[in-house]
Amino acid sequence: MPSDNLEEQGLEKNPDLNLAQLKFLLTLDSHRNDKKTKDELMEGIKTNNMAPFYELLCKELSWKTDAALLKKMKEENESQLKKLDETLQDAEQNLGETEVRDALLAKAEYLSKIGDKEACLTAFRKAFDKTVALGHRLDIIFHQIRVGLFFLDNDIITRNIDKAKSMIDEGGDWDRRNRLKVYQGVYNMSIRNFKAAATFFLDTVSTFTSYELMEYQNFVTYTVITSMIALERTELRKKVVKGSEILEVMHSLPELRSFLFSLYDCKYAEFFQTLAKVEQKLKIDRLMAPHYNYYVREMRILAYTQLLESYRSLTLQYMADAFGVSINFIDQELSRFIAAGRLHCKIDKVGGIVETNRPDSKNYQYQATIKQGDILLNRVQKLSRVINI
């Protein structure tokens, strides 16, 4: 696990992604009237005088605007921006390119801090054009990715990740290469590409320094959650179950530990209970909330598949007992997933037995070849009619 003092060496939490999470919570029915969440969010807004973000918040959450507070914050913003513009003007007239770049960057960072999305991106582009050193150019790109993550603007994120990848290939240092992997992992997780997210997270689990995005405990949580759905059992054992850095953190995350080991150790009743708890956590995570239904469904299928692979047949009663549910529930679940082609088994309702019928890969390939051949012949026939005409 990275040592605690590395947090001090990381980039500033600008913009503060925790505020974006609090804003997301207030859009949920379960937290809409939560005073503690609202107070925490407003405290962050007042501390940084985030007038543009406050206006956006009032519009999106249908809040009544506090005119006095908004006026006060806007005045503070104007005062700070005036000072920054004076510094920039002085640098342009009397100093060198480095000082001009620093002044542009200071303005861009302030605009980012107060939540003025478009203005800060424009300022960052100007600072980027004035920057020569590759490392500093990458830091600007990383900041723009964080702005994209703050507002969940995938266009900003993807464009800047692509830029960062090409620049890293030119000769980026070790720290920035690892940082980019964490950013890529977070983005891939947010768009439900769990396989890629798990790969990026596992590559950086022992070298994590991106505290500007999240705490290390949160990073390990995301790593375990994405790895469980993306990795084969052997890979999961090698990289997660036996991963020393992950195990070290999981001592302080008993729920996550139970979730991982209950599936790995085939304790399915415990797994279903912890999956329900994980589902509630995913519902209130702004990056995972759009995918929680998909994630829970796929994890249930994974657990059913893992159990069925060990048997040629087993009773519905045994499966119900194993998962700690009723026979009716397991019957409905299996029927739904069998009909969708996700589980390879059949149910003998009269005998109360589930029989597995593992797919024959050669037979499947044969059937697929015949099907594709028929499609090709039909297209050739259609084409020959057109040519004959």
Side-chain angles (χ1 to χ4, degrees), residues 40-66:
E40 193 177 343
L41 178 58
M42 287 307 301
E43 183 62 32
I45 289 170
K46 290 173 185 175
T47 301
N48 296 315
N49 293 299
M50 301 174 73
F53 183 61
Y54 178 62
E55 286 183 289
L56 177 69
L57 205 62
C58 291
K59 184 180 176 183
E60 291 188 1
L61 299 179
S62 302
W63 284 0
K64 185 179 178 182
T65 306
D66 184 334

Side-chain angles (χ1 to χ4, degrees), residues 323-378:
F323 285 97
V325 295
S326 67
I327 291 178
N328 283 338
F329 177 86
I330 207 79
D331 182 32
Q332 289 174 3
E333 280 271 283
L334 294 181
S335 300
R336 185 157 60 95
F337 293 136
I338 291 168
R342 301 303 309 279
L343 290 176
H344 303 291
C345 59
K346 58 184 180 182
I347 300 173
D348 177 357
K349 183 72 174 179
V350 177
I353 294 171
V354 181
E355 296 179 6
T356 59
N357 51 355
R358 296 181 187 85
D360 183 343
S361 60
K362 285 187 179 179
N363 186 46
Y364 172 78
Q365 288 171 354
Y366 174 70
Q367 295 295 337
T369 304
I370 291 174
K371 188 176 179 181
Q372 289 166 357
D374 286 341
I375 293 169
L376 179 61
L377 284 171
N378 288 335

Side-chain angles (χ1 to χ4, degrees), residues 34-288:
D34 186 354
K35 187 176 184 302
K36 184 182 176 185
T37 303
K38 185 175 180 179
D39 288 347
E40 193 177 343
L41 178 58
M42 287 307 301
E43 183 62 32
I45 289 170
K46 290 173 185 175
T47 301
N48 296 315
N49 293 299
M50 301 174 73
F53 183 61
Y54 178 62
E55 286 183 289
L56 177 69
L57 205 62
C58 291
K59 184 180 176 183
E60 291 188 1
L61 299 179
S62 302
W63 284 0
K64 185 179 178 182
T65 306
D66 184 334
L69 174 63
L70 182 60
K71 183 184 177 186
K72 179 188 171 189
M73 290 194 297
K74 278 188 171 181
E75 286 173 354
E76 179 60 29
N77 292 166
E78 287 166 6
S79 170
Q80 286 295 326
L81 287 169
K82 187 179 177 183
K83 289 178 186 176
L84 289 165
D85 284 334
E86 286 171 358
T87 304
L88 174 60
Q89 190 176 3
D90 178 55
E92 287 174 335
Q93 292 174 356
N94 306 312
L95 303 170
E97 287 291 310
T98 304
E99 287 75 15
V100 172
R101 183 198 76 87
D102 290 344
L104 282 167
L105 192 56
K107 182 179 179 181
E109 287 174 346
Y110 181 73
L111 288 165
S112 168
K113 198 168 193 175
I114 64 174
D116 194 336
K117 177 183 170 185
E118 297 304 327
C120 84
L121 290 172
T122 302
F124 274 125
R125 282 192 285 271
K126 288 179 181 176
F128 184 83
D129 292 338
K130 291 282 186 183
T131 305
V132 177
L134 181 63
H136 291 151
R137 287 164 73 88
L138 277 166
D139 288 342
I140 291 171
I141 295 294
F142 287 139
H143 201 130
Q144 289 181 82
I145 297 172
R146 291 201 300 280
V147 171
L149 287 170
F150 186 85
F151 291 100
L152 285 182
D153 187 324
N154 284 350
D155 182 51
I156 295 171
I157 299 168
T158 50
R159 279 192 288 110
N160 284 287
I161 282 178
D162 288 342
K163 272 188 197 175
K165 282 195 286 189
S166 62
M167 289 166 67
I168 287 283
D169 291 339
E170 292 172 18
D173 60 51
W174 171 86
D175 179 63
R176 290 183 175 90
R177 282 178 187 273
N178 283 311
R179 181 164 269 119
L180 176 60
K181 285 182 181 179
V182 178
Y183 282 58
Q184 286 177 284
V186 171
Y187 170 65
N188 277 289
M189 184 179 69
S190 75
I191 60 168
R192 201 186 287 179
N193 187 351
F194 296 131
K195 179 73 174 172
T199 302
F200 286 125
F201 287 155
L202 287 167
D203 280 351
T204 53
V205 77
S206 60
T207 55
F208 177 82
T209 56
S210 301
Y211 294 98
E212 70 278 7
L213 290 184
M214 66 188 92
E215 298 302 317
Y216 190 62
Q217 280 194 351
N218 292 342
F219 173 74
V220 169
T221 301
Y222 286 143
T223 303
V224 172
I225 284 173
T226 53
S227 296
M228 285 178 70
I229 195 172
L231 300 186
E232 295 291 332
R233 184 177 168 85
T234 51
E235 285 290 293
L236 187 70
R237 171 187 166 82
K238 179 182 172 185
K239 296 181 177 179
V240 181
V241 173
K242 297 293 183 182
S244 56
E245 291 90 358
I246 291 173
L247 289 174
E248 185 181 345
V249 176
M250 280 204 293
H251 284 301
S252 56
L253 298 169
E255 202 170 276
L256 183 67
R257 182 183 176 84
S258 175
F259 182 51
L260 171 64
F261 282 95
S262 60
L263 178 66
Y264 184 77
D265 295 335
C266 306
K267 297 175 181 175
Y268 299 112
E270 183 185 339
F271 172 72
F272 261 33
Q273 290 172 355
T274 51
L275 180 61
K277 294 175 184 175
V278 168
E279 179 182 4
Q280 296 308 312
K281 294 278 180 69
L282 298 183
K283 277 184 182 180
I284 59 172
D285 184 294
R286 72 190 191 102
L287 297 174
M288 288 293 288

Side-chain angles (χ1 to χ4, degrees), residues 267-321:
K267 297 175 181 175
Y268 299 112
E270 183 185 339
F271 172 72
F272 261 33
Q273 290 172 355
T274 51
L275 180 61
K277 294 175 184 175
V278 168
E279 179 182 4
Q280 296 308 312
K281 294 278 180 69
L282 298 183
K283 277 184 182 180
I284 59 172
D285 184 294
R286 72 190 191 102
L287 297 174
M288 288 293 288
H291 317 300
Y292 81 87
N293 266 328
Y294 170 85
Y295 184 86
V296 171
R297 183 179 69 246
E298 291 301 310
M299 291 307 295
R300 290 212 305 266
I301 291 171
L302 183 63
Y304 293 140
T305 303
Q306 185 171 288
L307 176 62
L308 290 167
E309 277 179 350
S310 305
Y311 301 92
R312 286 190 64 83
S313 66
L314 64 168
T315 64
L316 282 169
Q317 183 66 58
Y318 177 82
M319 283 196 75
D321 292 343

